[in-house]
Amino acid sequence: MNAITMLITEHENLQAFLDRIDQACRQREEHALGVALADARGALGPELDRHILLEDANVFPRIARHLSPDMLQAFSDDHVAIQATRDRLYAPFNGPRRPLAETLLDLLRNHLAKEENMLFPAAQELMTPEELEWEPE
């Protein structure tokens, strides 16, 4: 399977959860936000961590042979910020979650857009189909 295609599919799957969180934030409805966050716990937790590990440990090193390592480091730095914000959002807390949820939405959406509009097209142009091949475990 093409690794880029697989990653984009995972982005699309995540987007449905992000849309529900965004809708609750726009409505300024803490209860709806809590429900949306609970529903997204798996997608934003273990699934996102697995996705990030796949990118950082397997896909980005392959792309780094063709693109600037500094450019790829910026994507890995985004991952750290996304995970830290996500962890703060899901930590026990008694206040409003909307500001952190909005920050996470911004981080994720900007990151996904940069990957899909810049990094992935460049990788597909510069790399051979064999280099892009990935067999999930």
Side-chain angles (χ1 to χ4, degrees), residues 3 54-73 119 122-134:
L54 171 64
E55 288 182 343
D56 286 343
N58 295 293
V59 177
F60 289 177
R62 293 179 194 194
I63 296 172
R65 295 181 206 138
H66 302 275
L67 296 172
S68 163
D70 291 339
M71 179 178 153
L72 291 165
Q73 185 60 50
L119 181 63
Q124 288 181 308
E125 184 176 313
L126 297 169
M127 297 172 70
T128 67
E130 293 77 24
E131 290 175 301
L132 290 170
E133 201 56 34
W134 175 257

Side-chain angles (χ1 to χ4, degrees), residues 79-91:
H79 290 160
V80 172
I82 288 165
Q83 288 174 306
T85 303
R86 183 260 336 257
D87 292 346
R88 287 194 342 252
L89 180 61
Y90 279 97

Side-chain angles (χ1 to χ4, degrees), residues 25-98:
C25 286
R26 289 177 190 273
Q27 294 172 345
R28 298 181 184 270
E29 181 60 47
E30 279 294 317
H31 176 73
L33 178 57
V35 171
L37 289 171
D39 290 346
R41 184 177 292 276
L44 290 174
E47 290 175 32
L48 181 62
D49 289 342
R50 184 200 48 76
H51 178 90
I52 286 172
L53 180 62
L54 171 64
E55 288 182 343
D56 286 343
N58 295 293
V59 177
F60 289 177
R62 293 179 194 194
I63 296 172
R65 295 181 206 138
H66 302 275
L67 296 172
S68 163
D70 291 339
M71 179 178 153
L72 291 165
Q73 185 60 50
F75 286 92
S76 292
D77 292 346
D78 284 354
H79 290 160
V80 172
I82 288 165
Q83 288 174 306
T85 303
R86 183 260 336 257
D87 292 346
R88 287 194 342 252
L89 180 61
Y90 279 97
F93 178 69
N94 290 328
R97 297 208 179 275
R98 188 171 51 84

